[in-house]
Structure formats: C-alpha cells, structure tokens
Amino acid sequence: MATAGLKPVASLLLVLNFCMYVIVAALGGWAINAAIHHGFLIDTGLALPAHFSPIYFPMGNAATGFFVIFAVLAGVVGAASAIAGSHHIQSWNYETLPAAVSSAFIAWALTLLAMGLACKEIDLHGRNAKLRTMEAFTIILSGTQLLYILVIHGGATPTRRS
C-alpha cells in the first residue's frame, strides 16, 4: 500500500490531539467550576443586576463565558473523535474512513468556533494563565486537527475486489 507511510503520522497526530483535547476540557471544567462557585446568588427580595449575564465568569473578560463553553464542547467531542479514530488507525482501510473523518470534521468545526472566540478573548485582554493556555491549545488544535483530517483522508485507498 503506497499510503502506509502516513499511518505513523496519523497515529502521532491522533495521540497529540487526544491529549490536547483532554487538557482543554479539563481547563474548561476548572473555569466552569470557578464560575459556579463565584456566581451571583439570588435570594428572596433581591433583583438581578442591570447587566447580569447567565454566562458570567469571574476571571477573564466578556468573551470568556462563551469561549469556555465552546472550548469544553470542542474538547469533549475532540477526545471522543480521537477514540473513534483509533479504530480507523488500527484497521487503516477505506471502510473505516467515513466514520473517522466525519467525527474528526465535527470536532474540527467546534474547535474552529472555539478558536474564533479565543481570538475575541485575546483581543479584549484581561485573562489569567489558565485561560491563555486554553486559548493557545485551541488555536494549535485547529491546525493539528485539520492536518489529522487531511492525513487520514489521504491515507486510505479503496479496496479492490476481484
């Protein structure tokens, strides 16, 4: 098979993306936990503040809440996509390609959405080190996930039947 040389590259990208997606999901989980613990409590007789947002995060800026939510979604879907992609890497044939590419493409689309929100968050300034790490990983993942899709798509060839 002429494309068998792409299998180690796809395996490396799969492991790299899985680890990075897990880190993004874990950091996003930390941010959501911090937001829940520092949230606004409404008691009897209290009214909501004038500019109350249900996606309020005490760290970061106005884009942080949206970025964290979509980064966690991208992290979970990306990690699941990597687990599904491991079956394709093991068999490395044309029959397992559609499932691997479709799940990887959905993860990439969510990662691009989170990357756009990360760019907006960078533009607004005022983030801590964990959010900057999430932003960097999300931006890097948008490229490595696309490279992974291209490698597995170029690596499988149709089987010939006699």
Side-chain angles (χ1 to χ4, degrees):
M1 180 182 233
T3 59
L6 292 176
K7 188 175 179 179
V9 175
S11 299
L12 175 71
L13 286 169
L14 185 74
V15 171
L16 176 71
N17 286 351
F18 177 75
C19 293
M20 289 178 69
Y21 274 126
V22 168
I23 291 170
V24 165
L27 289 173
W30 163 82
I32 290 173
N33 188 41
I36 290 170
H37 283 293
H38 294 93
F40 182 77
L41 298 176
I42 301 174
D43 199 7
T44 55
L46 292 178
L48 288 174
H51 299 290
F52 176 73
S53 172
I55 306 178
Y56 169 74
F57 282 73
M59 75 298 272
N61 51 44
T64 301
F66 298 105
F67 166 64
V68 168
I69 297 298
F70 283 105
V72 168
L73 283 172
V76 170
V77 172
S81 167
I83 292 170
S86 67
H87 175 65
H88 174 65
I89 297 294
Q90 289 173 353
S91 62
W92 199 251
N93 60 26
Y94 195 69
E95 286 79 25
T96 59
L97 179 66
V101 170
S102 62
S103 64
F105 186 78
I106 291 169
W108 180 59
L110 285 171
T111 304
L112 284 180
L113 183 60
M115 184 203 67
L117 291 165
C119 292
K120 182 62 177 176
E121 187 178 39
I122 291 168
D123 184 49
L124 293 177
H125 303 290
R127 303 122 32 228
N128 63 15
K130 290 181 181 177
L131 289 175
R132 284 193 296 267
T133 303
M134 263 180 73
E135 294 162 0
F137 275 30
T138 304
I139 292 168
I140 293 167
L141 273 167
S142 65
T144 58
Q145 185 71 9
L146 175 62
L147 189 59
Y148 168 72
I149 291 169
L150 294 174
V151 167
I152 64 172
H153 195 54
T157 56
T159 54
R160 296 190 178 132
R161 299 187 191 246
S162 307

